[in-house]
Amino acid sequence: MTDPKSDDQRYLARAVALSREHMNDGAGGPFGAVIVRDGEVLAEGWNRVTSTNDPTAHAEVTAIRRACEAVGDFALHGATLYTSCEPCPMCLASAYWARVSRIVYANTRQDAAAIGFDDSLIYDEIPKAVEERIIPMDHLPSLEARAVFDAWADKPDKVSY
């Protein structure tokens, strides 16, 4: 029987190795992630923001996308996300949407901020009232948009998520 703490250390070490390897290769920032379920690595990911010009290509999001594709499901129940750093707000939200069961991380958000990856603005913006946010947001109600939502609510064959 394997030791869970030993497994955590091994998978987290792999996430950290991915962060260094792909940072050195110029793929993006120093972040790596591994998703594991039942002792099987479902996917690995690393930061690819600057190499793909995709601001959403964070290590965790990349790993989640790959894992979901590998298992053929949008949910990763029972999976653990190992990441070289505490997930940013986008990555944390992605983990929740993917129904990841657990997250193990190495560096903290304060460690990330100290090297130029400061997400405090986003953490501060989320709880604000819409009209108080830095990015202006205008609510423009649409009857057609409402009709689409109503059609979804009534759709008998929808896949709820």
Side-chain angles (χ1 to χ4, degrees), residues 7-8 11 34-44 64 66-82 98-102:
D7 287 344
D8 284 350
Y11 295 125
V34 177
I35 298 178
V36 178
R37 182 165 59 193
D38 299 326
E40 177 189 355
V41 174
L42 301 180
E44 297 179 338
I64 288 168
R66 290 175 175 165
C68 288
E69 186 174 350
V71 301
D73 197 349
F74 56 81
L76 298 172
H77 296 287
T80 299
L81 168 61
Y82 294 91
R99 287 131 175 108
V100 167
S101 295
R102 184 169 170 247

Side-chain angles (χ1 to χ4, degrees), residues 34-151:
V34 177
I35 298 178
V36 178
R37 182 165 59 193
D38 299 326
E40 177 189 355
V41 174
L42 301 180
E44 297 179 338
W46 49 90
N47 186 286
R48 301 177 65 230
V49 170
T50 57
S51 61
T52 62
N53 295 318
D54 178 355
T56 69
H58 290 201
E60 297 91 339
V61 170
T62 301
I64 288 168
R65 289 173 179 161
R66 290 175 175 165
C68 288
E69 186 174 350
V71 301
D73 197 349
F74 56 81
L76 298 172
H77 296 287
T80 299
L81 168 61
Y82 294 91
T83 179
S84 62
C85 186
E86 180 179 356
C88 76
M90 177 184 67
C91 294
L92 182 59
S94 298
Y96 276 105
W97 278 113
R99 287 131 175 108
V100 167
S101 295
R102 184 169 170 247
I103 299 171
V104 178
Y105 63 94
N107 295 315
T108 66
R109 71 171 92 162
Q110 293 81 10
D111 296 329
I115 63 164
F117 295 94
D118 188 351
D119 298 318
S120 61
L121 172 72
I122 300 168
Y123 283 107
D124 293 344
E125 284 287 295
I126 290 172
K128 288 182 181 177
V130 171
E131 61 276 0
E132 295 174 12
R133 292 184 179 152
I134 293 170
I135 297 176
M137 297 178 66
D138 298 314
H139 178 216
L140 186 58
S142 162
L143 292 176
E144 181 59 20
R146 178 83 261 165
V148 172
F149 271 26
D150 292 342

